[in-house]
Amino acid sequence: MTYQQSIIPRSVEWKESYIRLLDQQKLPAATEYLHLETVEDVWDAIKTLKVRGAPAIGIAAAFGLALAVKNYETDDISKFQKWLSRDHDYLASSRPTAVNLFWALSRLKNSVQHARSAEEAKTVLLHEAIQIQVEDEETCRKIGEHALPLFNEGDAVMTICNAGSIATARYGTALSPFYLAKENGIPLRVYACETRPVLQGSRLTAWELMEAGVDVTLITDSMAAHTIRTKQISAIIVGADRIAANGDTANKIGTYGLALLAHAFQIPFYVAAPLSTFDPATGSGADIPIEERDAAEITHIAGCRVAPEGVQVFNPAFDVTPHELITGIITEEGVLSGDYLLEIESIFQQAKK
Ligand code: MRU
Protein backbone atom coordinates (compact mmCIF):
# COMPACT_ATOMS: atom_id res chain seq x y z
CA MET A 1 0.00 0.00 0.00
CA THR A 2 1.38 3.42 -0.94
CA TYR A 3 1.64 6.40 1.38
CA GLN A 4 -1.34 8.16 -0.21
CA GLN A 5 -3.51 5.05 -0.15
CA SER A 6 -2.96 4.50 3.55
CA ILE A 7 -3.98 8.01 4.57
CA ILE A 8 -6.87 9.36 2.50
CA PRO A 9 -10.19 7.58 3.13
CA ARG A 10 -12.12 6.17 0.19
CA SER A 11 -15.05 8.33 -0.89
CA VAL A 12 -17.30 5.37 -1.74
CA GLU A 13 -17.26 1.76 -0.48
CA TRP A 14 -19.57 -1.14 -1.29
CA LYS A 15 -20.68 -2.97 1.89
CA GLU A 16 -23.22 -5.51 0.53
CA SER A 17 -26.34 -4.19 2.30
CA TYR A 18 -25.37 -0.50 2.03
CA ILE A 19 -22.91 1.94 0.47
CA ARG A 20 -20.49 3.56 2.90
CA LEU A 21 -19.98 7.13 1.80
CA LEU A 22 -17.50 9.68 3.11
CA ASP A 23 -19.67 12.75 3.75
CA GLN A 24 -17.75 15.41 1.82
CA GLN A 25 -20.06 18.14 3.11
CA LYS A 26 -18.74 17.55 6.63
CA LEU A 27 -15.05 17.84 5.71
CA PRO A 28 -12.70 19.11 7.00
CA ALA A 29 -14.41 19.60 10.37
CA ALA A 30 -15.40 15.94 10.69
CA THR A 31 -14.62 12.65 8.96
CA GLU A 32 -18.08 11.11 8.97
CA TYR A 33 -19.57 8.28 6.94
CA LEU A 34 -23.12 7.84 5.70
CA HIS A 35 -24.81 4.49 5.17
CA LEU A 36 -26.80 4.70 1.94
CA GLU A 37 -29.45 1.99 1.90
CA THR A 38 -31.75 3.02 -0.94
CA VAL A 39 -31.48 4.41 -4.45
CA GLU A 40 -33.10 7.61 -3.13
CA ASP A 41 -30.28 7.96 -0.55
CA VAL A 42 -27.75 7.70 -3.39
CA TRP A 43 -29.59 10.26 -5.56
CA ASP A 44 -29.72 12.68 -2.63
CA ALA A 45 -26.03 12.19 -1.76
CA ILE A 46 -25.04 13.07 -5.33
CA LYS A 47 -27.45 16.02 -5.59
CA THR A 48 -26.34 17.54 -2.27
CA LEU A 49 -22.59 17.08 -2.98
CA LYS A 50 -22.00 14.57 -0.18
CA VAL A 51 -20.23 12.71 -2.93
CA ARG A 52 -18.91 14.88 -5.75
CA GLY A 53 -16.22 14.94 -8.42
CA ALA A 54 -16.98 13.37 -11.80
CA PRO A 55 -15.44 9.87 -11.34
CA ALA A 56 -16.70 9.52 -7.73
CA ILE A 57 -20.22 10.46 -8.83
CA GLY A 58 -20.03 7.73 -11.48
CA ILE A 59 -18.83 5.16 -8.95
CA ALA A 60 -21.54 6.11 -6.42
CA ALA A 61 -24.26 5.92 -9.08
CA ALA A 62 -23.01 2.52 -10.28
CA PHE A 63 -23.14 1.15 -6.74
CA GLY A 64 -26.53 2.86 -6.35
CA LEU A 65 -27.89 0.85 -9.26
CA ALA A 66 -26.36 -2.37 -7.89
CA LEU A 67 -28.04 -1.57 -4.56
CA ALA A 68 -31.41 -0.81 -6.17
CA VAL A 69 -31.64 -4.15 -7.98
CA LYS A 70 -31.09 -6.12 -4.77
CA ASN A 71 -34.68 -5.29 -3.85
CA TYR A 72 -36.24 -6.29 -7.18
CA GLU A 73 -38.46 -9.20 -6.30
CA THR A 74 -39.03 -10.78 -9.68
CA ASP A 75 -37.74 -13.67 -11.75
CA ASP A 76 -39.06 -12.04 -14.91
CA ILE A 77 -36.03 -10.61 -16.76
CA SER A 78 -38.07 -8.21 -18.89
CA LYS A 79 -39.71 -6.75 -15.77
CA PHE A 80 -36.22 -6.54 -14.22
CA GLN A 81 -34.92 -4.60 -17.26
CA LYS A 82 -37.88 -2.21 -17.05
CA TRP A 83 -37.24 -1.45 -13.37
CA LEU A 84 -33.52 -1.11 -14.10
CA SER A 85 -34.22 1.51 -16.79
CA ARG A 86 -36.43 3.41 -14.34
CA ASP A 87 -33.72 3.50 -11.64
CA HIS A 88 -31.03 4.26 -14.24
CA ASP A 89 -32.99 7.32 -15.40
CA TYR A 90 -33.70 8.38 -11.84
CA LEU A 91 -30.02 8.32 -10.83
CA ALA A 92 -29.09 10.06 -14.10
CA SER A 93 -31.35 12.98 -13.09
CA SER A 94 -29.23 13.80 -10.01
CA ARG A 95 -26.71 16.13 -11.72
CA PRO A 96 -26.43 17.18 -15.38
CA THR A 97 -22.83 18.12 -16.21
CA ALA A 98 -20.35 15.38 -15.23
CA VAL A 99 -20.57 12.83 -18.02
CA ASN A 100 -19.03 10.09 -15.84
CA LEU A 101 -22.45 9.74 -14.21
CA PHE A 102 -24.13 8.81 -17.51
CA TRP A 103 -21.11 6.81 -18.66
CA ALA A 104 -21.13 4.62 -15.52
CA LEU A 105 -24.91 4.13 -15.53
CA SER A 106 -24.95 3.19 -19.23
CA ARG A 107 -22.06 0.82 -18.73
CA LEU A 108 -24.03 -0.96 -16.01
CA LYS A 109 -27.23 -1.08 -18.04
CA ASN A 110 -25.40 -2.43 -21.10
CA SER A 111 -23.65 -5.10 -19.02
CA VAL A 112 -26.95 -6.95 -18.45
CA GLN A 113 -28.47 -6.51 -21.89
CA HIS A 114 -28.17 -10.24 -22.54
CA ALA A 115 -28.75 -11.51 -18.99
CA ARG A 116 -31.01 -14.57 -18.91
CA SER A 117 -32.25 -14.25 -15.34
CA ALA A 118 -32.72 -11.62 -12.67
CA GLU A 119 -30.23 -13.41 -10.40
CA GLU A 120 -27.58 -13.41 -13.12
CA ALA A 121 -28.21 -9.70 -13.82
CA LYS A 122 -27.80 -8.78 -10.13
CA THR A 123 -24.40 -10.52 -9.98
CA VAL A 124 -23.22 -8.97 -13.26
CA LEU A 125 -24.30 -5.45 -12.21
CA LEU A 126 -22.41 -5.60 -8.93
CA HIS A 127 -19.33 -7.00 -10.64
CA GLU A 128 -19.43 -4.17 -13.20
CA ALA A 129 -19.79 -1.49 -10.52
CA ILE A 130 -16.81 -2.87 -8.58
CA GLN A 131 -14.86 -3.04 -11.83
CA ILE A 132 -15.53 0.66 -12.52
CA GLN A 133 -14.04 1.56 -9.14
CA VAL A 134 -11.02 -0.73 -9.56
CA GLU A 135 -10.32 0.60 -13.06
CA ASP A 136 -10.67 4.22 -11.92
CA GLU A 137 -7.92 3.78 -9.33
CA GLU A 138 -5.55 2.33 -11.98
CA THR A 139 -6.55 5.04 -14.44
CA CYS A 140 -5.90 7.85 -11.97
CA ARG A 141 -2.48 6.46 -11.12
CA LYS A 142 -1.62 6.35 -14.83
CA ILE A 143 -2.80 9.97 -15.24
CA GLY A 144 -0.39 10.91 -12.44
CA GLU A 145 2.44 9.01 -14.15
CA HIS A 146 1.84 10.92 -17.41
CA ALA A 147 1.46 14.25 -15.61
CA LEU A 148 4.48 14.08 -13.29
CA PRO A 149 7.16 14.58 -16.01
CA LEU A 150 5.43 17.85 -17.00
CA PHE A 151 6.68 19.43 -13.76
CA ASN A 152 10.16 20.17 -12.44
CA GLU A 153 11.42 19.74 -8.88
CA GLY A 154 10.34 22.65 -6.71
CA ASP A 155 7.62 23.85 -9.12
CA ALA A 156 4.62 25.72 -7.71
CA VAL A 157 1.44 24.59 -9.49
CA MET A 158 -2.05 26.08 -9.15
CA THR A 159 -5.33 24.15 -9.09
CA ILE A 160 -9.01 24.80 -8.47
CA CYS A 161 -11.84 22.74 -6.97
CA ASN A 162 -11.02 19.19 -5.84
CA ALA A 163 -9.91 16.77 -8.50
CA GLY A 164 -8.24 14.65 -5.87
CA SER A 165 -8.40 11.26 -4.23
CA ILE A 166 -11.89 11.75 -2.79
CA ALA A 167 -13.24 12.89 -6.19
CA THR A 168 -12.23 9.52 -7.67
CA ALA A 169 -11.54 5.93 -6.59
CA ARG A 170 -8.09 7.09 -5.46
CA TYR A 171 -5.24 9.48 -6.38
CA GLY A 172 -7.48 11.91 -8.22
CA THR A 173 -6.80 13.33 -11.65
CA ALA A 174 -5.28 16.82 -11.28
CA LEU A 175 -3.88 15.91 -7.84
CA SER A 176 -2.52 12.50 -8.83
CA PRO A 177 0.94 13.82 -9.90
CA PHE A 178 1.43 15.43 -6.49
CA TYR A 179 0.81 12.13 -4.71
CA LEU A 180 3.23 10.35 -7.03
CA ALA A 181 5.78 13.13 -6.52
CA LYS A 182 5.42 12.64 -2.76
CA GLU A 183 5.91 8.88 -3.15
CA ASN A 184 9.08 9.52 -5.16
CA GLY A 185 10.48 12.25 -2.90
CA ILE A 186 10.11 14.95 -5.59
CA PRO A 187 9.28 18.34 -4.02
CA LEU A 188 6.33 20.10 -5.66
CA ARG A 189 4.15 22.85 -4.21
CA VAL A 190 0.43 23.29 -4.79
CA TYR A 191 -1.52 26.55 -4.65
CA ALA A 192 -5.18 25.66 -4.15
CA CYS A 193 -7.92 28.16 -5.04
CA GLU A 194 -10.63 28.01 -2.35
CA THR A 195 -13.32 27.59 -5.04
CA ARG A 196 -16.38 29.63 -4.20
CA PRO A 197 -19.22 29.12 -3.71
CA VAL A 198 -18.99 25.76 -1.94
CA LEU A 199 -15.26 25.72 -1.19
CA GLN A 200 -14.11 22.35 -2.57
CA GLY A 201 -10.60 23.85 -2.77
CA SER A 202 -10.30 24.88 0.88
CA ARG A 203 -12.46 22.18 2.45
CA LEU A 204 -11.32 19.21 0.36
CA THR A 205 -8.14 19.85 -1.67
CA ALA A 206 -6.27 21.60 1.15
CA TRP A 207 -7.44 18.89 3.56
CA GLU A 208 -6.48 15.84 1.50
CA LEU A 209 -3.10 17.24 0.40
CA MET A 210 -2.26 18.14 4.00
CA GLU A 211 -3.31 14.67 5.17
CA ALA A 212 -0.80 13.21 2.69
CA GLY A 213 1.95 15.67 3.59
CA VAL A 214 1.92 17.49 0.23
CA ASP A 215 3.04 21.14 0.40
CA VAL A 216 -0.19 23.11 -0.17
CA THR A 217 -1.01 26.81 0.17
CA LEU A 218 -4.59 28.06 0.15
CA ILE A 219 -5.64 31.26 -1.64
CA THR A 220 -9.02 32.80 -2.41
CA ASP A 221 -10.10 32.68 -6.06
CA SER A 222 -9.58 36.43 -6.45
CA MET A 223 -5.89 36.08 -5.52
CA ALA A 224 -5.04 33.88 -8.52
CA ALA A 225 -3.50 36.55 -10.82
CA HIS A 226 -1.45 38.14 -8.04
CA THR A 227 -0.27 34.72 -6.87
CA ILE A 228 0.78 33.61 -10.36
CA ARG A 229 2.87 36.77 -10.69
CA THR A 230 4.38 36.89 -7.23
CA LYS A 231 4.82 33.20 -6.40
CA GLN A 232 6.24 32.13 -9.77
CA ILE A 233 3.48 29.65 -10.52
CA SER A 234 4.89 27.47 -13.33
CA ALA A 235 1.66 25.75 -14.46
CA ILE A 236 -2.04 25.29 -13.74
CA ILE A 237 -3.66 21.85 -13.61
CA VAL A 238 -7.38 21.16 -13.24
CA GLY A 239 -9.81 18.25 -13.53
CA ALA A 240 -12.82 17.99 -15.85
CA ASP A 241 -16.49 17.12 -15.72
CA ARG A 242 -16.99 16.73 -19.45
CA ILE A 243 -14.71 17.09 -22.45
CA ALA A 244 -16.40 17.64 -25.81
CA ALA A 245 -15.22 16.12 -29.10
CA ASN A 246 -13.18 19.24 -29.91
CA GLY A 247 -11.45 19.39 -26.49
CA ASP A 248 -13.61 22.15 -24.98
CA THR A 249 -13.73 21.30 -21.28
CA ALA A 250 -16.38 21.86 -18.63
CA ASN A 251 -14.99 22.03 -15.11
CA LYS A 252 -15.70 23.83 -11.84
CA ILE A 253 -16.70 27.47 -12.16
CA GLY A 254 -13.54 29.59 -12.18
CA THR A 255 -11.54 27.20 -14.37
CA TYR A 256 -12.07 29.30 -17.51
CA GLY A 257 -10.74 32.37 -15.69
CA LEU A 258 -7.60 30.45 -14.69
CA ALA A 259 -7.11 29.33 -18.31
CA LEU A 260 -7.27 32.96 -19.44
CA LEU A 261 -4.73 33.88 -16.76
CA ALA A 262 -2.41 31.05 -17.84
CA HIS A 263 -2.60 32.43 -21.40
CA ALA A 264 -1.86 35.97 -20.21
CA PHE A 265 1.12 34.81 -18.11
CA GLN A 266 2.25 32.34 -20.80
CA ILE A 267 2.32 29.34 -18.47
CA PRO A 268 0.92 25.89 -19.40
CA PHE A 269 -2.70 25.08 -18.59
CA TYR A 270 -3.36 21.34 -18.21
CA VAL A 271 -6.58 19.37 -17.90
CA ALA A 272 -6.25 15.92 -16.27
CA ALA A 273 -9.10 13.50 -16.93
CA PRO A 274 -9.85 9.84 -17.64
CA LEU A 275 -11.37 8.77 -20.97
CA SER A 276 -14.65 8.27 -19.07
CA THR A 277 -14.88 12.08 -18.82
CA PHE A 278 -14.80 12.52 -22.61
CA ASP A 279 -18.08 12.89 -24.44
CA PRO A 280 -17.31 12.45 -28.14
CA ALA A 281 -21.05 12.69 -28.88
CA THR A 282 -21.01 16.34 -27.77
CA GLY A 283 -19.45 18.44 -30.53
CA SER A 284 -18.27 21.46 -28.56
CA GLY A 285 -18.48 23.14 -25.19
CA ALA A 286 -21.55 25.09 -26.27
CA ASP A 287 -23.53 21.84 -26.13
CA ILE A 288 -22.46 20.85 -22.60
CA PRO A 289 -25.31 21.35 -20.10
CA ILE A 290 -24.14 23.58 -17.26
CA GLU A 291 -25.71 22.92 -13.88
CA GLU A 292 -27.15 25.93 -12.06
CA ARG A 293 -27.41 25.41 -8.33
CA ASP A 294 -29.41 26.86 -5.48
CA ALA A 295 -28.98 30.58 -4.77
CA ALA A 296 -28.38 29.80 -1.09
CA GLU A 297 -24.89 28.51 -2.00
CA ILE A 298 -24.01 32.14 -2.75
CA THR A 299 -26.24 34.08 -0.37
CA HIS A 300 -25.21 32.02 2.66
CA ILE A 301 -21.90 30.80 4.06
CA ALA A 302 -22.16 27.95 6.60
CA GLY A 303 -25.85 28.81 7.13
CA CYS A 304 -25.16 32.52 7.70
CA ARG A 305 -26.67 35.06 5.29
CA VAL A 306 -23.99 37.11 3.49
CA ALA A 307 -26.17 38.80 0.82
CA PRO A 308 -29.33 40.94 1.05
CA GLU A 309 -32.59 39.05 1.15
CA GLY A 310 -34.24 38.95 -2.29
CA VAL A 311 -31.06 39.67 -4.29
CA GLN A 312 -30.96 38.13 -7.79
CA VAL A 313 -28.39 35.33 -8.01
CA PHE A 314 -26.68 33.52 -10.89
CA ASN A 315 -24.99 30.32 -9.69
CA PRO A 316 -23.51 28.19 -12.50
CA ALA A 317 -21.53 25.30 -11.00
CA PHE A 318 -19.26 24.90 -14.04
CA ASP A 319 -17.79 26.85 -16.93
CA VAL A 320 -16.34 25.82 -20.27
CA THR A 321 -12.71 26.39 -21.19
CA PRO A 322 -12.25 26.57 -24.97
CA HIS A 323 -9.74 24.03 -26.27
CA GLU A 324 -7.44 26.76 -27.66
CA LEU A 325 -6.54 27.67 -24.08
CA ILE A 326 -5.60 24.11 -23.09
CA THR A 327 -1.92 23.18 -23.39
CA GLY A 328 -2.55 19.46 -22.92
CA ILE A 329 -5.20 17.00 -21.76
CA ILE A 330 -3.60 14.34 -19.57
CA THR A 331 -5.36 10.97 -19.83
CA GLU A 332 -4.49 7.41 -18.77
CA GLU A 333 -3.34 6.84 -22.37
CA GLY A 334 -0.98 9.82 -22.48
CA VAL A 335 -1.07 13.56 -23.06
CA LEU A 336 -3.25 14.91 -25.89
CA SER A 337 -2.36 18.26 -27.46
CA GLY A 338 -2.60 20.20 -30.70
CA ASP A 339 -5.57 19.18 -32.84
CA TYR A 340 -7.89 17.86 -30.13
CA LEU A 341 -10.62 16.88 -32.59
CA LEU A 342 -8.22 14.48 -34.32
CA GLU A 343 -6.45 13.37 -31.13
CA ILE A 344 -9.71 12.57 -29.34
CA GLU A 345 -11.15 10.75 -32.34
CA SER A 346 -8.00 8.65 -32.69
CA ILE A 347 -7.80 7.77 -28.98
CA PHE A 348 -11.40 6.51 -29.08
CA GLN A 349 -10.76 4.55 -32.27
CA GLN A 350 -7.79 2.86 -30.57
CA ALA A 351 -9.81 2.16 -27.42
CA LYS A 352 -12.43 0.32 -29.55
CA LYS A 353 -9.79 -2.08 -30.95
O1 MRU B 1 -19.38 20.25 -8.21
P1 MRU B 1 -18.27 19.25 -8.06
O2 MRU B 1 -17.55 19.37 -6.76
O3 MRU B 1 -18.74 17.85 -8.34
O4 MRU B 1 -17.24 19.62 -9.21
C1 MRU B 1 -16.10 18.84 -9.35
C2 MRU B 1 -15.16 19.32 -10.38
O5 MRU B 1 -15.40 20.27 -11.09
C3 MRU B 1 -13.92 18.49 -10.58
O6 MRU B 1 -12.85 19.28 -11.01
C4 MRU B 1 -14.18 17.40 -11.64
O7 MRU B 1 -15.36 16.70 -11.37
C5 MRU B 1 -13.06 16.44 -11.73
S1 MRU B 1 -12.89 15.38 -10.31
C6 MRU B 1 -11.60 14.34 -10.66
Side-chain angles (χ1 to χ4, degrees), residues 12-90:
V12 188
E13 270 181 286
W14 175 257
K15 294 282 182 189
E16 291 308 326
S17 60
Y18 63 93
I19 297 164
R20 185 176 189 251
L21 194 94
L22 174 68
D23 187 347
Q24 298 195 30
Q25 285 288 26
K26 294 274 167 67
L27 289 169
T31 308
E32 283 180 15
Y33 295 90
L34 296 163
H35 288 191
L36 311 181
E37 287 168 3
T38 65
V39 68
E40 288 81 11
D41 290 347
V42 177
W43 187 94
D44 181 71
I46 296 172
K47 180 77 182 173
T48 58
L49 310 184
K50 293 182 177 89
V51 58
R52 31 68 48 205
I57 292 171
I59 294 163
F63 282 139
L65 210 51
L67 192 66
V69 302
K70 280 173 76 107
N71 297 325
Y72 293 180
E73 281 176 14
T74 182
D75 295 328
D76 178 348
I77 187 67
S78 60
K79 198 183 260 180
F80 183 99
Q81 299 283 14
K82 215 166 107 196
W83 292 348
L84 183 70
S85 286
R86 180 201 58 202
D87 286 335
H88 166 285
D89 294 353
Y90 172 63

Side-chain angles (χ1 to χ4, degrees), residues 24 46 49 51-57 95 98 100 140 160-168 172-174 195 198 200 203-204 238-242 250-253 255 272-274 277 291 293 317-318:
Q24 298 195 30
I46 296 172
L49 310 184
V51 58
R52 31 68 48 205
I57 292 171
R95 291 191 79 187
N100 303 61
C140 286
I160 189 166
C161 194
N162 172 266
S165 184
I166 57 172
T168 61
T173 56
T195 319
V198 293
Q200 289 94 333
R203 292 189 302 104
L204 309 175
V238 300
D241 287 85
R242 195 187 292 225
N251 189 49
K252 180 53 56 195
I253 193 73
T255 300
T277 300
E291 177 181 12
R293 294 187 60 86
F318 303 98

Side-chain angles (χ1 to χ4, degrees), residues 123-142:
T123 309
V124 171
L125 283 167
L126 177 57
H127 178 266
E128 198 67 17
I130 291 170
Q131 195 56 26
I132 286 174
Q133 189 175 39
V134 169
E135 284 173 19
D136 190 61
E137 182 169 340
E138 284 165 16
T139 294
C140 286
R141 193 173 165 96
K142 282 189 198 148

Side-chain angles (χ1 to χ4, degrees), residues 3-12 22 24 27-31 52-53 55-56 140 159-180 182 190 192 199-218:
Y3 187 62
Q4 191 265 345
Q5 283 172 313
S6 63
I7 288 176
I8 318 270
R10 269 203 199 278
S11 50
V12 188
L22 174 68
Q24 298 195 30
L27 289 169
T31 308
R52 31 68 48 205
C140 286
T159 192
I160 189 166
C161 194
N162 172 266
S165 184
I166 57 172
T168 61
R170 263 208 172 117
Y171 294 105
T173 56
L175 299 192
S176 181
F178 306 110
Y179 290 123
L180 297 196
K182 180 82 195 165
V190 179
L199 305 174
Q200 289 94 333
S202 56
R203 292 189 302 104
L204 309 175
T205 293
W207 170 78
E208 67 163 81
L209 290 178
M210 285 178 76
E211 288 290 296
V214 175
D215 183 332
V216 57
T217 304
L218 179 64

